[in-house]
Amino acid sequence: MFASFLRHALDWFIDGDEKAGPAATPEPRRQQRDLHPPHVPANGSVYQGGGRPPDSEAPPQREQIFVAPAGPRVTPGPPMPSAPPPQRHAAQPESPPAARAPQPQETRPRRPWDPPVVGKPTAAFAPKPSMASAYRPDYIADGWATRDFVVRAASVRGYSHRVSGDPRQDDIAVAWHEASGAVLFAVADGVGNAPLSHVGATSACRAAISAMTTGLDSPTGRVDWAGLLQGAAWQICEQARISLGLREINKQAAEEQMATTLVAGMVLPHPDGPRVELVQAGDSSAWILNVRARRYQCLTPTKFRQGEEVFSNSVVALPRVPPTDVKHGLLNQGEILLVGTDGFGDPLGDGNNMIGDHFADAFHELPPVLKFANDLDFSRETWDDDRTLFALWPHRSRG
């Protein structure tokens, strides 16, 4: 029986199943349409997606830096076997865009935080980074309030320095002396032809604030203003010695490298009104703005007084110490104190112009801190110096 079963299995293996009938002709495989378009990554190294893999000899495609606009969606039609396969070509390099001349900012609608345009604007451009060896931001913006005063302070790099890559040479320091309620301020403008004048400006501001704090904390409670200017000058010389690697202080080297102007002072609460005291070295200045009358009064003898001859560009600045001339007085109802560098003072002039109107409008009500800095960064042709401004509102003068 086993032999019969073995013979039957051998016959089936050689001749096929007698009951199976003739072998069926295989149906041709239907060509399937690829629902996913082929994709080659930007580096051409890995094949992803369906469809025909890319030719290995084809050069890799360049990464595109733009996104094509979305068009109407098209439903793919039936496959076309007779059509030749698509040819892959490397993306052609794009021609570099033609250089564009700076365009005035008024050619497009102003965005919320664009610099305010006053008259004819400065041409629009991308600022260069600061070439200072230490971090030097383009903007400083500060603001706070005490029980007596509200403070705003800002310093912005000028358009000329944004083009050249020079750092912001202005600086500012503000502090509150809690025991007396005084607000202390120092504003400095590094002289343009001194390579490290921005360091000198920072040194002078910090030395001035320290001197005022020391005076208010003393038994007399008074500031030695002559000592303040001398101390700021010494601090500049000492900083120059350190920065230049000198063995001893060299006043000439300090002046050549770090010369700076300075206005330093304080505002103290007083029964008759806020009392202002300040000293000046160089051409930075201070003003009182009558908010309702929109009138500016310059407090320091500089080139900003109406009817007086404009000074030359030469500035006698720290570390040369000028004679001490302390300015003091009271702020009246509706008045605010402004202290600024010539980047603010030069375009302001006597205030009877578009710049004066711009700030009278901006300061009619207390501005938010960032708006204060944005208003200072106005765009007007030819006015391209660094700008620094301190402003103080007595609480009763707000609004």
Side-chain angles (χ1 to χ4, degrees):
M1 180 179 295
F2 178 79
S4 175
F5 174 79
L6 184 59
R7 184 170 39 287
H8 178 75
L10 184 60
D11 292 341
W12 180 87
F13 180 80
I14 297 175
D15 299 330
D17 189 357
E18 295 178 352
K19 296 181 180 181
T25 303
E27 183 179 353
R29 184 176 181 180
R30 180 178 301 175
Q31 182 176 355
Q32 295 183 351
R33 177 166 48 88
D34 187 4
L35 298 180
H36 302 281
H39 169 71
V40 179
N43 60 13
S45 60
V46 181
Y47 172 73
Q48 300 176 359
R52 175 178 175 268
D55 187 351
S56 60
E57 297 182 357
Q61 294 184 352
R62 293 180 57 197
E63 182 177 0
Q64 300 298 311
I65 60 173
F66 62 91
V67 178
R73 184 172 181 177
V74 180
T75 303
M80 300 177 65
S82 60
Q87 298 295 322
R88 299 183 182 275
H89 300 282
Q92 297 298 322
E94 298 179 359
S95 299
R100 296 179 57 191
Q103 298 296 319
Q105 296 177 8
E106 62 186 2
T107 59
R108 59 167 171 77
R110 182 177 181 268
R111 297 171 296 189
W113 288 106
D114 280 344
V117 174
V118 182
K120 188 175 182 180
T122 301
F125 61 93
K128 293 182 180 179
S130 167
M131 294 185 295
S133 58
Y135 176 61
R136 191 76 173 176
D138 270 24
Y139 284 78
I140 294 176
D142 194 11
W144 35 266
T146 71
R147 60 181 176 267
D148 300 296
F149 308 116
V150 181
V151 168
R152 295 290 182 264
S155 182
V156 300
R157 185 163 66 143
Y159 291 91
S160 61
H161 288 168
R162 294 174 187 173
V163 169
S164 65
D166 291 325
R168 173 177 50 83
Q169 296 175 324
D170 284 8
D171 212 345
I172 187 169
V174 187
W176 179 50
H177 186 259
E178 185 176 7
S180 64
V183 171
L184 319 178
F185 58 85
V187 171
D189 178 5
V191 176
N193 58 0
L196 297 177
S197 63
H198 58 288
V199 179
T202 300
S203 299
C205 286
R206 294 178 179 177
I209 294 294
S210 178
M212 286 184 281
T213 301
T214 299
L216 291 173
D217 286 339
S218 68
T220 63
R222 295 184 178 181
V223 175
D224 179 3
W225 295 107
L228 181 150
L229 292 177
Q230 293 169 359
W234 179 88
Q235 185 63 51
I236 293 170
C237 293
E238 174 64 11
Q239 186 61 55
R241 183 191 69 80
I242 296 172
S243 298
L244 301 176
L246 305 177
R247 298 185 63 178
E248 57 186 20
I249 285 179
N250 185 319
K251 293 182 179 179
Q252 181 177 352
E255 183 177 13
E256 292 174 351
Q257 295 290 321
M258 295 188 179
T260 182
T261 71
L262 176 68
V263 175
M266 60 184 181
V267 185
L268 298 103
H270 190 275
D272 296 332
R275 178 177 176 82
V276 180
E277 297 182 24
L278 59 86
V279 290
Q280 173 197 27
D283 62 356
S284 296
S285 193
W287 302 259
I288 290 177
L289 169 61
N290 187 305
V291 178
R292 293 184 176 87
R294 301 168 66 90
R295 183 177 65 250
Y296 298 84
Q297 175 189 354
C298 186
L299 301 180
T300 50
T302 65
K303 56 188 175 182
F304 308 124
R305 290 181 181 273
Q306 185 177 12
E308 293 187 2
E309 184 178 357
V310 176
F311 286 7
S312 68
N313 289 332
S314 60
V315 177
V316 177
L318 298 175
R320 295 193 182 190
V321 180
T324 305
D325 183 12
V326 182
K327 303 294 180 183
H328 55 82
L330 300 177
L331 289 177
N332 298 317
Q333 177 70 26
E335 294 181 338
I336 62 176
L337 175 67
L338 304 176
V339 181
T341 60
D342 62 354
F344 168 79
D346 282 353
L348 177 68
D350 61 11
N352 294 320
N353 50 46
M354 297 176 68
I355 299 298
D357 291 341
H358 166 68
F359 285 106
D361 292 339
F363 299 160
H364 181 71
E365 295 182 354
L366 179 68
V369 174
L370 295 182
K371 184 179 183 300
F372 180 85
N374 185 247
D375 288 329
L376 183 62
D377 192 26
F378 65 85
S379 176
R380 180 167 172 79
E381 191 177 45
T382 73
W383 300 116
D384 55 6
D385 197 5
D386 297 343
R387 301 178 193 137
T388 299
L389 185 64
F390 164 83
L392 180 140
W393 282 258
H395 275 302
R396 65 181 184 177
S397 295
R398 293 176 56 186

